[in-house]
Amino acid sequence: MKARLKKYTALSRIGILSELHFRLSTFVVILGNLVYLTLVYFLWKSIYASSGTSTVNGMSFSDTLIYLVLATALFNFLEMYMVWEISRDIQSGGIILKLLKPMSFRSFSFWNYFGRNIMTFFLTFLPTFIVIDAVTKGYIHHGFNLIYFVISVIMALIINFNIDLIVSTICLYTESTWGINMVKECIVLLLSGATIPLAFFPEKLRHIVTYLPFKSVYDTPLNILLQKKGYTTPKGLLFALGLQLSWCIILYIISKAFWNHSIKRITVNGG
């Protein structure tokens, strides 16, 4: 157990160093997000101005803006870009070297990306959280919700990893996943609440989305952090975290079975 933990720690450290090596890309992402958030601000300001009311679907303009700013920061923190990397490895033949390592490909990928996620947390999400907390002056409650938020984010990371791995496995069949990955990104960002808060969805659609894994990636952690209605009681928290845990297990089983079955037919163009 100690030796295994040492290997995982080493892989996470490699991920951290890799992220530090490409610092410019991080700043480019931050700059791009500032432009995106500027557009989001004026878009939703226009929506609320045209609605004729200060509250839409139970959310004020400030509620919506804070939610979307934190959702964007959480996206930068959780995003892995694993599909692109595996697709390139298959096309170049580099994936063979990773498969020959004395560790399962799944474990190697997860802990390597985990190190990168640690760095993006400190470079993107934490600064955003601090700024929002300072500007809103107590809007975000500092209590047990922060602990539950951390637990929720860890499970969101696992869910997001397994969704990416399932899509990445399709690379073994198609060798190119640009279109498939774009569809996946659109579905996840839309149904997770990262682009539009789920409170704005029609009631029937919102009820369906509640039980899908995508909500567990962004909407659930953010609602726990911001203590939205239904996430402040023990029953509500237990349901939200229990649903996340269930999807962690389900997606882990699916992604592992799909990968183990598909890896038997791997073909590469290079190497």
Side-chain angles (χ1 to χ4, degrees):
M1 181 65 182
K2 185 177 180 181
R4 183 177 298 180
L5 183 61
K6 188 176 181 180
K7 288 191 295 185
Y8 294 156
T9 304
L11 281 173
S12 297
R13 182 173 178 273
I14 292 172
I16 292 173
L17 293 175
S18 176
E19 196 67 24
L20 286 172
H21 182 70
F22 298 102
R23 294 185 294 272
L24 180 59
S25 63
T26 302
F27 291 120
V28 171
V29 169
I30 293 174
L31 180 61
N33 285 327
L34 289 175
V35 175
Y36 169 75
L37 290 174
T38 302
L39 296 175
V40 166
Y41 172 82
F42 286 107
L43 172 64
W44 284 96
K45 188 175 182 179
S46 299
I47 291 174
Y48 273 88
S50 62
S51 68
T53 178
S54 60
T55 303
V56 179
N57 292 340
M59 295 183 70
S60 65
F61 172 67
S62 60
D63 292 334
T64 303
L65 189 62
I66 291 170
Y67 178 96
L68 291 174
V69 169
L70 290 174
T72 301
L74 196 60
F75 169 78
N76 293 326
F77 163 42
L78 295 177
E79 185 62 16
M80 295 183 174
Y81 304 105
M82 183 167 65
V83 179
W84 302 116
E85 291 193 16
I86 291 182
S87 180
R88 288 197 300 268
D89 285 342
I90 291 174
Q91 292 173 354
S92 67
I95 192 172
I96 297 299
L97 298 176
K98 293 182 179 179
L99 292 173
L100 291 174
K101 293 182 183 295
M103 178 185 287
S104 71
F105 178 81
R106 291 167 50 85
S107 297
F108 174 82
S109 299
F110 177 81
W111 290 103
N112 184 259
Y113 278 106
F114 184 73
R116 300 186 190 185
N117 290 134
I118 291 175
M119 283 310 303
T120 52
F121 172 79
F122 286 105
L123 292 174
T124 58
F125 183 81
L126 187 59
T128 303
F129 174 82
I130 293 173
V131 170
I132 291 293
D133 190 45
V135 171
T136 57
K137 298 178 181 179
Y139 182 89
I140 301 175
H141 179 67
H142 294 176
F144 285 107
N145 60 311
L146 296 179
I147 298 175
Y148 296 132
F149 171 71
V150 171
I151 296 172
S152 181
V153 164
I154 292 173
M155 289 194 286
L157 181 65
I158 295 172
I159 291 171
N160 200 38
F161 171 80
N162 282 291
I163 290 175
D164 267 22
L165 186 59
I166 291 171
V167 176
S168 298
T169 305
I170 300 176
C171 299
L172 299 175
Y173 297 90
T174 63
E175 297 185 8
S176 177
T177 57
W178 187 88
I180 296 173
N181 191 51
M182 286 295 98
V183 172
K184 185 269 297 183
E185 290 287 346
C186 291
I187 292 174
V188 172
L189 290 176
L190 178 62
L191 299 184
S192 66
T195 52
I196 302 175
L198 298 186
F200 290 87
F201 281 31
E203 185 176 352
K204 290 184 178 180
L205 178 59
R206 187 168 66 246
H207 181 72
I208 294 172
V209 170
T210 297
Y211 297 95
L212 295 179
F214 314 113
K215 181 180 186 295
S216 296
V217 180
Y218 298 111
D219 188 71
T220 298
L222 288 175
N223 282 332
I224 291 175
L225 176 65
L226 299 175
Q227 290 197 307
K228 295 297 183 180
K229 183 179 179 181
Y231 292 84
T232 55
T233 63
K235 183 179 179 180
L237 281 170
L238 184 63
F239 174 79
L241 295 175
L243 189 61
Q244 277 190 299
L245 180 60
S246 298
W247 278 117
C248 284
I249 297 171
I250 292 171
L251 290 174
Y252 171 81
I253 294 172
I254 293 174
S255 64
K256 184 176 182 179
F258 187 30
W259 176 262
N260 290 340
H261 171 76
S262 302
I263 198 64
K264 299 174 183 177
R265 66 171 310 281
I266 184 172
T267 58
V268 294
N269 296 329

